[in-house]
Amino acid sequence: MLRPQDSATRERRRVEGLWLFRLDPQARGHADRWWRGRLAEAREVPVPASYNDVFADAATRDHVGDAWYQTTVRVPRGWAGQRVVLRFDAVTHRAVVWVDEVEVARHEGGYTPFEADITEVARPGAEIRVTVVVNNELTWQSVPPGIVQDTATGRQQIYFHDFFNYAGLHRPVWLYSTPRAHLSDVTVVTALAGTEGTVDYRVDVTGGDDLAVRAVLTDAEGTAVARATGTAGVLTVADVHPWRPGEGYLYDLLLEVVDGAEVVDAYSLPVGVRTVEVRGTKFLINGEPFYFTGFGRHEDLPVRGKGHDDVFMVHDFALMEWTGANSFRTSHYPYAEEVLDYADRHGFVVIDETAAVGQNTAIAGGIVGGGQSFPTFSPETINDASREIHAQAIRELVTRDKNHPSVVLWCVANEPESTTPASVEYFEPLFALTRKLDPTRPVGYVNMLLATPDRDLLRPLADVIMLNRYWGWYLNTGDLAGAESNWQAELEAWAAHGRPIIVTEYGADTVAGLHTVPAAPWSEEYQVEYLEMNHRVFDRVDAVVGEHVWNFADFATKPGIMRVDGNKKGVFTRDRRPKSAAFALRRRWHSAT
Ligand code: BDP
């Protein structure tokens, strides 16, 4: 599915602003067919945004179930004869969409796009009514998982991950046109050999099998550097300017479907020419060892929740650059495509993660899960049906992000159970699927601290070892000397496997403005000393090829006795003010590069 764009043959418009909005706590909307007319008893809600925090009542914030959105939009008259498509970049966690009285789309999964060809129901020049029902329930058969409980006081959502279960129309909604015969997919794979680069391209054309395709690659100065024809081909670039970390050099690949002299459809794709490879304990980009500095992050903002916001996107990148970060992980779900485009253009390196977080009842069954215990993988909990939903999420992630040069590594799950034969059985096909979908990038999962090197069983499936470790925080709390020696011993055990290691999380909750002498947990001084201890350990273990601090900024979580107004492991506060740790990281990361 190609991202909408304006081209010589395509147009798009954003369907944003204030939509009508109504919660459906009694789940009546489907039976009463709320899509059949103007949504009654509706409030206004901004799109894109999470709905949870924009109002002032707990019923909206904590709503479990369906929420209805509705707007009207006029289909441009000039689109007559074109294909008309309605696309949602992300609706969390699932959606059904109607145009007027016709159901046009259903989608499971909160962080990847879906669309509907609405040509038959959208008459150019006419206004259409778009109704969306958003459901935010997490069950054993969703990614991420959860449990919905009916209690005497209402429905409650239990979930096993450490960030607030925001819901809504989180990213842009588009109405766009394409010609009837159109490009429907593009895949590029790039390679480097000395000063020469190659771009292998493959396109799908729908509705025009007999039409020809031509491809032109243009450099950043606007000079055409290679041309080819056909639905697949190789473009060779002499004296190639590679995409590399810190320098997001992009070519433009213009693809045209042609009928003789007539251009039937045109689509252009930014292309970064680079390679990625794991060799021994090294992670190579363009054949050179790469060391990841940066953060695990969240799409999380005051009031907007997980709503995409260009202002904060640019600001967050600026702050990451200021600290000397060269990379980040899309913890714990695929981020907005705007973020990946920005990373492409600015030479940021991205570990791209699915929304599979919380597939681990060893963590969930304790404090997080309200004291109940369940097997993680079983016919009654995470089962074959869940795995199929997880597989679909991987398909949608790879399909969406395969052409981004910034993406160098797929992460299939964060901290899943990884110590049981059931976990191997669950994950083996998912690793195989990811590799089949994209043979060009390494694949991994993020290991959690209970799955020590002697107990973890998933490592042989992964190309890279990714570890979340909290020595000095959850373990050896307040005892950095003890933490240092335990951490060193554990990392050496992992290093013995001869794979690159990225420490994908290390962090300490820190209340901005809390200062102590000597350094004590929750103070800014402790966060700094905690990070310095970690860095001493990393610098002593050659196989460590990356450090991502948890977290870039403080973020919202569900309420709990482990959290004070959310998770405070941010190097920046939720409103992006630096804690002392930000300056310490800046000193280390700028001197390293
Ligand atoms: C890790 C999780 C992350 C949490 C973090 C923490 O991957 O989502 O927020 O711990 O406890 O286990 O701060």
Side-chain angles (χ1 to χ4, degrees):
M1 194 199 307
L2 294 175
R3 195 140 188 245
Q5 67 176 220
D6 293 312
S7 78
T9 58
R10 294 168 174 239
E11 282 177 42
R12 63 187 170 160
R13 51 168 57 184
R14 275 171 76 145
V15 190
E16 58 186 13
L18 297 179
W19 290 42
L20 297 177
F21 176 74
R22 182 175 176 187
L23 296 178
D24 187 6
Q26 319 302 337
R28 286 176 21 222
H30 281 281
D32 292 351
R33 301 173 177 228
W34 285 0
W35 62 88
R36 295 192 74 177
R38 187 185 156 91
L39 197 56
E41 296 167 41
R43 293 182 275 183
E44 289 181 302
V45 77
V47 173
S50 302
Y51 59 73
N52 308 78
D53 289 348
V54 294
F55 301 105
D57 58 295
T60 311
R61 185 192 60 200
D62 301 334
H63 176 67
V64 181
D66 289 342
W68 293 73
Y69 283 72
Q70 192 179 74
T71 195
T72 52
V73 56
R74 191 167 292 278
V75 183
R77 201 168 51 160
W79 292 5
Q82 303 291 300
R83 206 174 134 251
V84 180
V85 185
L86 179 63
R87 169 176 159 130
F88 294 81
D89 283 356
V91 182
T92 314
H93 294 283
R94 61 189 61 76
V96 185
V97 181
W98 293 262
V99 167
D100 297 330
E101 306 228 347
V102 182
E103 181 185 317
V104 295
R106 264 173 197 260
H107 185 256
E108 172 72 28
Y111 305 95
T112 42
F114 61 96
E115 63 182 27
D117 181 333
I118 60 166
T119 316
E120 296 309 315
V121 280
R123 204 162 37 81
E127 191 175 77
I128 54 171
R129 185 176 64 244
V130 178
T131 308
V132 185
V133 59
V134 179
N135 179 276
N136 68 348
E137 291 168 42
L138 298 175
T139 70
W140 292 114
Q141 275 67 56
S142 63
V143 174
I147 303 171
V148 178
Q149 282 183 337
D150 284 308
T151 71
T153 50
R155 306 185 77 210
Q156 274 175 9
Q157 177 72 64
I158 293 174
Y159 49 98
F160 316 125
H161 50 272
D162 183 34
F163 56 95
F164 191 84
N165 186 33
Y166 282 115
L169 270 53
H170 281 156
R171 297 178 191 158
V173 180
W174 303 94
L175 190 65
Y176 73 94
S177 72
T178 77
R180 300 271 175 158
H182 61 279
L183 287 152
S184 46
D185 196 21
V186 184
T187 308
V188 294
V189 173
T190 64
L192 292 165
T195 57
E196 193 175 274
T198 50
V199 178
D200 255 73
Y201 75 91
R202 192 162 34 81
V203 302
D204 292 341
V205 177
T206 302
D209 289 346
D210 43 341
L211 299 176
V213 172
R214 64 181 184 222
V216 183
L217 193 71
T218 304
D219 67 16
E221 289 73 46
T223 309
V225 293
R227 293 172 194 276
T229 52
T231 52
V234 183
L235 297 149
T236 304
V237 190
D239 283 326
V240 68
H241 192 146
W243 184 97
R244 53 169 76 94
E247 195 201 355
Y249 189 93
L250 296 172
Y251 291 86
D252 180 71
L253 175 61
L254 174 65
L255 296 155
E256 290 175 320
V257 179
V258 291
D259 187 0
E262 188 204 344
V263 175
V264 176
D265 190 20
Y267 192 88
S268 61
L269 181 77
V271 175
V273 183
R274 59 106 184 93
T275 62
V276 177
E277 189 194 340
V278 169
R279 199 184 300 154
T281 57
K282 301 281 179 237
F283 194 99
L284 307 176
I285 299 182
N286 301 343
E288 287 169 22
F290 178 67
Y291 191 92
F292 296 75
T293 59
F295 301 96
R297 301 172 59 197
H298 266 299
E299 292 188 316
D300 175 84
L301 288 170
V303 188
R304 290 171 184 275
K306 292 202 173 306
H308 175 74
D309 182 281
D310 279 341
V311 177
F312 272 94
M313 176 182 76
V314 174
H315 188 52
D316 286 356
F317 272 101
L319 292 178
M320 285 197 288
E321 251 171 47
W322 176 87
T323 58
N326 60 19
S327 55
F328 59 91
R329 176 170 59 117
T330 70
S331 42
H332 294 307
Y333 35 80
Y335 286 5
E337 288 170 88
E338 287 81 351
V339 175
L340 295 178
D341 287 343
Y342 196 97
D344 289 345
R345 290 193 298 274
H346 296 264
F348 268 83
V349 171
V350 177
I351 302 174
D352 208 355
E353 184 163 288
T354 70
V357 53
Q359 295 179 322
N360 194 331
T361 54
I363 327 176
I367 291 169
V368 188
Q372 303 174 60
S373 72
F374 310 91
T376 303
F377 301 104
S378 75
E380 289 73 41
T381 55
I382 300 179
N383 57 19
D384 290 351
S386 325
R387 186 171 58 194
E388 185 39 44
I389 286 161
H390 196 157
Q392 182 60 17
I394 291 173
R395 279 182 211 109
E396 292 183 20
L397 175 68
V398 175
T399 309
R400 193 194 73 162
D401 292 350
K402 61 189 173 183
N403 295 323
H404 287 286
S406 56
V407 174
V408 299
L409 173 59
W410 303 113
C411 177
V412 296
N414 179 71
E415 298 193 342
E417 179 175 301
S418 63
T419 54
T420 55
S423 59
V424 179
E425 207 180 299
Y426 179 87
F427 276 104
E428 242 169 4
L430 297 179
F431 273 87
L433 171 71
T434 314
R435 291 208 168 85
K436 188 169 153 236
L437 291 165
D438 180 9
T440 74
R441 288 178 180 87
V443 185
Y445 72 99
V446 168
N447 161 293
M448 68 91 57
L449 55 81
L450 297 173
T452 45
D454 50 316
R455 299 184 63 227
D456 178 271
L457 299 175
L458 290 186
R459 188 207 40 83
L461 299 175
D463 299 306
V464 174
I465 296 171
M466 291 189 270
L467 304 176
N468 290 353
R469 285 301 180 277
Y470 289 90
W471 290 104
W473 187 254
Y474 292 123
L475 305 168
N476 292 106
T477 314
D479 166 22
L480 291 178
E484 185 162 350
S485 77
N486 285 334
W487 195 187
Q488 170 99 22
E490 192 193 346
L491 258 184
E492 278 167 5
W494 285 107
H497 292 298
R499 288 279 177 200
I501 300 171
I502 304 170
V503 180
T504 35
E505 288 184 24
Y506 61 114
D509 282 276
T510 304
V511 175
L514 180 68
H515 295 284
T516 63
V517 173
W522 295 94
S523 71
E524 295 201 24
E525 288 70 25
Y526 190 81
Q527 190 182 31
V528 170
E529 289 187 17
Y530 168 95
L531 295 178
E532 286 170 351
M533 177 278 286
N534 273 271
H535 298 153
R536 285 195 296 278
V537 175
F538 303 162
D539 292 345
R540 291 194 290 257
V541 180
D542 281 348
V544 173
V545 300
E547 50 195 59
H548 278 175
V549 177
W550 190 254
N551 187 284
F552 169 71
D554 294 344
F555 57 90
T557 63
K558 65 195 159 192
I561 53 171
M562 305 266 287
R563 298 287 174 253
V564 186
D565 187 34
N567 187 307
K568 291 282 185 272
K569 294 192 186 70
V571 165
F572 294 88
T573 59
R574 201 178 187 209
D575 62 354
R576 276 49 176 172
R577 288 168 193 260
K579 301 180 191 171
S580 304
F583 300 92
L585 287 173
R586 177 173 156 82
R587 279 191 294 276
R588 172 176 169 82
W589 289 344
H590 277 289
S591 64
T593 50

